[in-house]
Coordinates of all heavy atoms in Angstrom, one line a residue:
C184 N 132.8 228.2 290.2 CA 132.7 229.6 289.7 C 131.3 230.0 289.6 O 130.4 229.2 289.6 CB 133.4 229.6 288.3 SG 132.6 228.6 287.0
Y185 N 131.1 231.3 289.5 CA 129.8 231.9 289.2 C 128.6 231.3 290.0 O 127.6 230.9 289.5 CB 129.5 231.7 287.7 CG 130.4 232.4 286.7 CD1 131.0 231.6 285.8 CD2 130.6 233.7 286.8 CE1 131.9 232.2 284.9 CE2 131.4 234.3 285.9 CZ 132.1 233.6 285.0 OH 132.9 234.2 284.0
D186 N 128.9 231.2 291.3 CA 127.8 230.8 292.3 C 127.1 229.5 291.9 O 125.9 229.5 291.4 CB 126.8 232.0 292.3 CG 125.8 231.7 293.5 OD1 126.1 231.0 294.4 OD2 124.7 232.4 293.4
G187 N 127.8 228.4 292.0 CA 127.2 227.1 291.8 C 127.5 226.4 290.4 O 127.1 225.3 290.2
L188 N 128.3 227.1 289.6 CA 128.7 226.6 288.3 C 130.2 226.1 288.4 O 130.8 226.3 289.5 CB 128.6 227.6 287.2 CG 127.2 228.2 287.0 CD1 127.2 229.1 285.8 CD2 126.1 227.1 286.9
Q189 N 130.6 225.4 287.3 CA 132.0 224.9 287.3 C 132.6 225.4 286.0 O 132.0 225.4 285.0 CB 132.0 223.4 287.4 CG 131.5 222.9 288.7 CD 131.5 221.4 288.8 OE1 131.4 220.7 287.8 NE2 131.7 220.8 290.0
C190 N 133.9 225.8 286.1 CA 134.6 226.4 285.0 C 135.9 225.6 284.7 O 136.5 225.1 285.7 CB 135.0 227.8 285.2 SG 133.5 228.9 285.3
A191 N 136.3 225.5 283.5 CA 137.5 224.9 283.1 C 138.1 225.7 281.9 O 137.4 226.4 281.1 CB 137.3 223.5 282.7
R192 N 139.4 225.6 281.7 CA 140.1 226.1 280.5 C 140.7 224.9 279.8 O 141.7 224.3 280.3 CB 141.1 227.2 280.8 CG 140.4 228.4 281.4 CD 141.5 229.5 281.8 NE 142.1 230.0 280.7 CZ 143.3 230.7 280.7 NH1 144.0 230.7 281.8 NH2 143.8 231.2 279.6
L193 N 140.2 224.6 278.6 CA 140.6 223.4 277.9 C 141.7 223.8 276.9 O 141.4 224.5 276.0 CB 139.5 222.7 277.3 CG 139.7 221.3 276.6 CD1 140.3 220.3 277.5 CD2 138.5 220.8 275.9
Q194 N 142.9 223.2 277.1 CA 143.9 223.6 276.1 C 143.8 222.7 274.9 O 143.6 221.5 274.9 CB 145.3 223.3 276.8 CG 146.5 223.8 275.9 CD 147.8 223.7 276.8 OE1 148.1 224.6 277.5 NE2 148.6 222.7 276.5
A195 N 144.0 223.4 273.7 CA 143.9 222.6 272.4 C 144.9 223.2 271.4 O 145.4 224.3 271.7 CB 142.5 222.8 271.9
P196 N 145.2 222.5 270.4 CA 146.1 223.1 269.4 C 145.6 224.3 268.7 O 144.4 224.4 268.5 CB 146.3 221.9 268.4 CG 145.9 220.7 269.1 CD 144.8 221.1 270.1
L197 N 146.4 225.3 268.5 CA 146.0 226.4 267.7 C 145.6 226.0 266.3 O 144.6 226.4 265.7 CB 147.2 227.4 267.6 CG 147.0 228.6 266.6 CD1 146.0 229.6 267.3 CD2 148.3 229.3 266.4
D198 N 146.4 225.1 265.8 CA 146.2 224.6 264.4 C 145.9 223.0 264.4 O 146.8 222.3 264.6 CB 147.4 224.9 263.5 CG 147.3 224.5 262.1 OD1 146.2 223.9 261.7 OD2 148.2 224.8 261.3
W199 N 144.7 222.7 264.3 CA 144.3 221.3 264.4 C 145.0 220.4 263.2 O 145.1 219.2 263.4 CB 142.8 221.1 264.3 CG 142.2 221.4 265.6 CD1 141.4 222.4 266.0 CD2 142.2 220.5 266.8 NE1 141.0 222.3 267.3 CE2 141.5 221.1 267.8 CE3 142.8 219.3 267.1 CZ2 141.3 220.5 269.1 CZ3 142.7 218.7 268.3 CH2 141.9 219.4 269.3
E200 N 145.3 221.1 262.1 CA 146.0 220.3 261.1 C 147.4 220.1 261.3 O 148.1 219.4 260.6 CB 145.7 221.1 259.7 CG 144.3 221.0 259.3 CD 144.1 221.4 257.9 OE1 144.6 222.5 257.5 OE2 143.5 220.7 257.1
N201 N 148.0 220.9 262.3 CA 149.4 220.8 262.6 C 149.5 220.8 264.1 O 149.9 221.8 264.7 CB 150.2 221.9 262.0 CG 151.6 221.9 262.3 OD1 152.2 220.8 262.7 ND2 152.3 223.0 262.3
P202 N 149.0 219.7 264.8 CA 148.9 219.7 266.3 C 150.3 219.8 266.9 O 150.4 220.1 268.1 CB 148.2 218.4 266.6 CG 148.4 217.5 265.4 CD 148.4 218.5 264.2
G203 N 151.4 219.6 266.2 CA 152.7 219.7 266.7 C 153.2 221.2 266.9 O 154.2 221.4 267.6
N204 N 152.4 222.1 266.3 CA 152.7 223.5 266.5 C 152.6 223.8 268.0 O 151.6 223.5 268.6 CB 151.7 224.3 265.8 CG 152.0 225.8 265.8 OD1 152.5 226.4 266.7 ND2 151.7 226.5 264.7
P205 N 153.7 224.4 268.6 CA 153.7 224.7 270.1 C 152.6 225.7 270.5 O 152.3 225.7 271.7 CB 155.1 225.2 270.3 CG 155.6 225.7 269.0 CD 154.9 224.8 268.0
R206 N 152.1 226.5 269.6 CA 151.1 227.5 270.0 C 149.8 226.8 270.3 O 149.3 225.8 269.6 CB 150.8 228.5 268.8 CG 152.1 229.3 268.4 CD 152.4 230.4 269.4 NE 153.5 231.2 268.9 CZ 153.3 232.3 268.1 NH1 152.1 232.7 267.8 NH2 154.4 233.0 267.8
K207 N 149.1 227.2 271.4 CA 147.9 226.6 271.9 C 146.8 227.7 272.1 O 147.1 228.9 272.2 CB 148.2 225.9 273.2 CG 149.3 224.9 273.2 CD 149.0 223.7 272.3 CE 150.1 222.6 272.3 NZ 149.9 221.5 271.5
V208 N 145.6 227.2 272.2 CA 144.5 228.0 272.6 C 144.0 227.4 273.9 O 144.1 226.2 274.2 CB 143.4 228.1 271.5 CG1 143.9 228.7 270.3 CG2 142.8 226.7 271.3
A209 N 143.3 228.3 274.6 CA 142.6 227.8 275.9 C 141.1 228.2 275.8 O 140.7 229.4 275.7 CB 143.2 228.5 277.1
I210 N 140.3 227.1 275.6 CA 138.9 227.3 275.4 C 138.2 227.5 276.8 O 138.3 226.5 277.7 CB 138.2 226.2 274.7 CG1 139.0 226.0 273.3 CG2 136.7 226.4 274.4 CD1 138.9 227.1 272.4
A211 N 137.5 228.6 277.0 CA 136.8 228.8 278.3 C 135.5 228.0 278.3 O 134.7 228.1 277.4 CB 136.5 230.3 278.5
I212 N 135.2 227.2 279.3 CA 134.1 226.3 279.4 C 133.4 226.5 280.8 O 134.1 226.6 281.8 CB 134.5 224.8 279.2 CG1 135.1 224.6 277.8 CG2 133.4 223.9 279.5 CD1 135.7 223.2 277.6
V213 N 132.2 226.6 280.8 CA 131.4 226.6 282.0 C 130.3 225.5 282.0 O 129.7 225.3 281.0 CB 130.7 228.0 282.2 CG1 129.6 228.3 281.2 CG2 130.1 228.1 283.7
R214 N 130.2 224.9 283.1 CA 129.3 223.7 283.2 C 128.2 224.0 284.3 O 128.6 224.3 285.5 CB 130.0 222.4 283.6 CG 129.2 221.2 283.9 CD 130.0 220.0 284.2 NE 129.2 218.9 284.6 CZ 129.2 218.5 285.9 NH1 129.8 219.1 286.8 NH2 128.4 217.4 286.3
L215 N 127.0 223.9 283.9 CA 125.9 223.9 284.9 C 125.5 222.4 285.1 O 125.0 221.7 284.2 CB 124.6 224.6 284.4 CG 123.3 224.5 285.2 CD1 123.5 225.1 286.6 CD2 122.2 225.1 284.4
P216 N 125.9 221.9 286.3 CA 125.7 220.5 286.5 C 124.3 220.0 286.5 O 123.3 220.8 286.8 CB 126.2 220.3 288.0 CG 127.2 221.4 288.2 CD 126.5 222.6 287.5
A217 N 124.0 218.8 286.0 CA 122.7 218.2 286.0 C 122.1 218.2 287.4 O 122.9 218.2 288.4 CB 122.7 216.8 285.4
K218 N 120.8 218.1 287.5 CA 120.2 218.1 288.8 C 120.2 216.8 289.5 O 119.7 216.6 290.7 CB 118.7 218.5 288.6 CG 118.5 219.9 288.1 CD 117.1 220.2 287.8 CE 116.9 221.6 287.2 NZ 115.5 221.9 286.7
V219 N 120.8 215.8 288.9 CA 121.0 214.5 289.5 C 122.5 214.1 289.4 O 123.2 214.6 288.5 CB 120.2 213.4 288.8 CG1 118.7 213.7 289.0 CG2 120.6 213.2 287.3
P220 N 123.0 213.3 290.3 CA 124.5 213.0 290.3 C 124.7 212.0 289.1 O 123.8 211.4 288.5 CB 124.7 212.3 291.6 CG 123.4 211.8 292.0 CD 122.3 212.8 291.5

């Protein structure tokens, strides 16, 4: 994504105190990779 970057959507519980709740959030994440492998 974004010309040389990497993107992910990380799914997580809406309610961390009740992870069994079926409602979820998707956290948008972008990674600029390090200059070395």
Side-chain angles (χ1 to χ4, degrees):
C184 62
Y185 297 125
D186 190 21
L188 304 185
Q189 296 180 330
C190 292
R192 295 177 69 200
L193 185 60
Q194 185 170 284
L197 173 73
D198 183 355
W199 279 108
E200 291 193 306
N201 181 20
N204 186 325
R206 299 283 185 93
K207 306 294 181 182
V208 297
I210 306 299
I212 295 172
V213 65
R214 173 178 173 259
L215 171 63
K218 296 173 185 175
V219 298

